[in-house]
Structures are given as structure tokens and as C-alpha cells.
Amino acid sequence: MSEHSLCPKFEAAFEILGKRWTGLIIQSLLNGPRRFKDISEMIPGMSDRMLAERFKELEAGGLIIRHVYPETPVRIEYELSDKGRALQPVMEAVQEWGDSWIQPNCPDAKS
Amino acid sequence: MSEHSLCPKFEAAFEILGKRWTGLIIQSLLNGPRRFKDISEMIPGMSDRMLAERFKELEAGGLIIRHVYPETPVRIEYELSDKGRALQPVMEAVQEWGDSWIQPNCPDAKS
């Protein structure tokens, strides 16, 4: 990488990750498919309108897949694609940094 | 980490990283201290007003240190603190993900 410019792929990656809530949404989906309200409950500070917007962006970017199950009532779930799941090492690195450098305790963190 | 909530440290980490430009600014400083205009040139899409705001936030969060050298003209440099430099594994994980999953080529990437 040249001294005076950033890698376009790095920039593009942070176009996605550098949006409020996106990292938290991806983290919330790492344990498997979830419904809209599951994610909404896991991230209380985020409005449903914002979550709907982020889901659309992440689906358009190929990071999540929206499954519609034709049941009654219809069931809709969101799942990480391979591209989305591939962000797990990023999320783990963020968690490790947070564990080391962020002050408030995480009462039930694994480590 | 419980199934239905996110770790507060993870959330706090993404409060920082999930802001537009922050990841790029930190990446730009990983090679050593830089002046305002160096970073401004490395991230052409970002306004100077935004960079000034991000520098203030990152300084307040303890991620960067602002050095003022009493020369003529005065020289001001920004440097990552230990806390800021500790984000290097995050940045590397983001780069790896970008290399694997983002389409446009990075002409001069190391790998």
C-alpha cells in the first residue's frame, strides 16, 4: 500500500463497517438467523426504521440474506451470507480490543 | 455473552469505529505520526472540518495524541496512543476481509 493513499478495498470495507449500528447488527447475526424483532431487541438504542434501512443496505451489499417462509403468519428471517460471516475475525478483533481498552465491564463476556 | 444482548464493550468499541472516516484515520496513522494535511490528503473524500471533529473525538477518547512542537511556524502532529495502535489487528482483519470480498482491485496492496 502506498504511503499516501489508502487501499480502495479497505476504504470500501469501512464504507460498510463505518456506519452506525452495522457492526452490532452483524455481530447479532453471527450466532445464526434472526427475525427483525430479535435484532431490534438486541440493540435497544436503534430504531426499527434504522434497522430496516441497515438490513436493506446489508442485503444490497450481499452481506445478509432475507428468507421469507410462507407460513401463517409469514415468517421472515435474516441470515449472514458467506461474505457477512467472513467478518467474524473483524468482530473478534473488535471484541478483544474492547475487552482490553474499554473501561466499563462486560459482566457476562466469555473471556 | 448472553444470547439476547451485546457486550457493552463491543458496543462501545463500535461507537468509535462505527463512525464515518474513523477507521480510515486510524489506518492512516498506523505508520507513524502525521500532520493534519497529511491525513487530509490521504482521505480525499473527507472535509477538513470533519477531520478536525474526528481528531477531537479520537483525542478525547484517548486514541490519539496531539503533539505541538513550538517551532516557527508551529508544527502539530497527531500520533496514535497505545490504545489507538492496539486497533492494528482490527484494521488488518478489515483489510483481509476487503481483499477477499470486495470487488474493485487495490492496485498496490502488499498481499
Side-chain angles (χ1 to χ4, degrees):
Chain A
M1 194 159 65
S2 104
E3 170 72 9
H4 289 298
S5 67
L6 293 169
C7 170
K9 288 189 176 187
F10 184 85
E11 291 189 34
F14 258 110
E15 286 266 328
I16 298 165
L17 295 170
K19 278 196 157 174
R20 197 166 183 210
W21 309 117
T22 297
L24 304 190
I25 294 166
I26 291 166
Q27 175 80 351
S28 303
L29 288 169
L30 276 174
N31 288 326
R34 290 285 181 279
R35 288 191 283 190
F36 190 99
K37 76 168 183 47
D38 300 329
I39 304 298
S40 176
E41 283 170 14
M42 288 170 85
I43 313 174
M46 176 185 56
S47 72
D48 283 355
R49 202 173 71 86
M50 181 57 74
L51 178 55
E53 194 178 306
R54 288 288 178 270
F55 269 149
K56 272 188 199 153
E57 291 165 1
L58 291 169
E59 199 184 352
L63 279 87
I64 64 170
I65 301 160
R66 185 171 178 270
H67 297 285
V68 181
Y69 299 97
E71 302 167 359
T72 309
V74 68
R75 182 163 57 100
I76 299 173
E77 287 189 348
Y78 297 86
E79 184 180 22
L80 290 177
S81 66
D82 289 345
K83 181 178 179 179
R85 251 190 310 274
L87 281 166
Q88 183 151 13
V90 173
M91 300 300 144
E92 287 170 358
V94 170
Q95 181 70 59
E96 277 172 36
W97 182 79
D99 286 342
S100 300
W101 293 96
I102 301 281
Q103 292 305 321
N105 278 329
C106 181
D108 46 1
K110 273 176 198 151
S111 65
Chain B
M1 196 158 62
S2 100
E3 169 72 9
H4 290 295
S5 67
L6 293 168
C7 170
K9 288 189 175 186
F10 185 86
E11 291 189 32
F14 257 110
E15 286 266 326
I16 298 166
L17 295 171
K19 279 196 157 174
R20 197 168 184 207
W21 309 117
T22 296
L24 305 188
I25 294 166
I26 290 166
Q27 175 80 349
S28 303
L29 289 169
L30 277 174
N31 287 326
R34 291 285 181 278
R35 288 190 285 189
F36 189 99
K37 77 168 181 49
D38 300 328
I39 304 297
S40 177
E41 283 170 14
M42 288 170 84
I43 312 174
M46 176 186 55
S47 73
D48 282 356
R49 201 173 71 86
M50 182 56 75
L51 178 55
E53 194 179 306
R54 288 288 177 270
F55 269 149
K56 271 188 200 154
E57 291 166 1
L58 291 169
E59 199 184 354
L63 278 87
I64 64 171
I65 302 160
R66 185 170 177 269
H67 297 285
V68 181
Y69 299 97
E71 302 167 0
T72 308
V74 69
R75 182 162 56 99
I76 299 173
E77 287 189 348
Y78 298 86
E79 184 181 21
L80 290 177
S81 65
D82 289 344
K83 181 178 179 179
R85 249 190 310 275
L87 281 166
Q88 184 150 12
V90 173
M91 301 299 144
E92 287 170 358
V94 170
Q95 181 70 60
E96 277 172 37
W97 182 79
D99 286 342
S100 300
W101 293 96
I102 302 281
Q103 292 305 320
N105 277 331
C106 180
D108 47 2
K110 274 174 196 154
S111 63

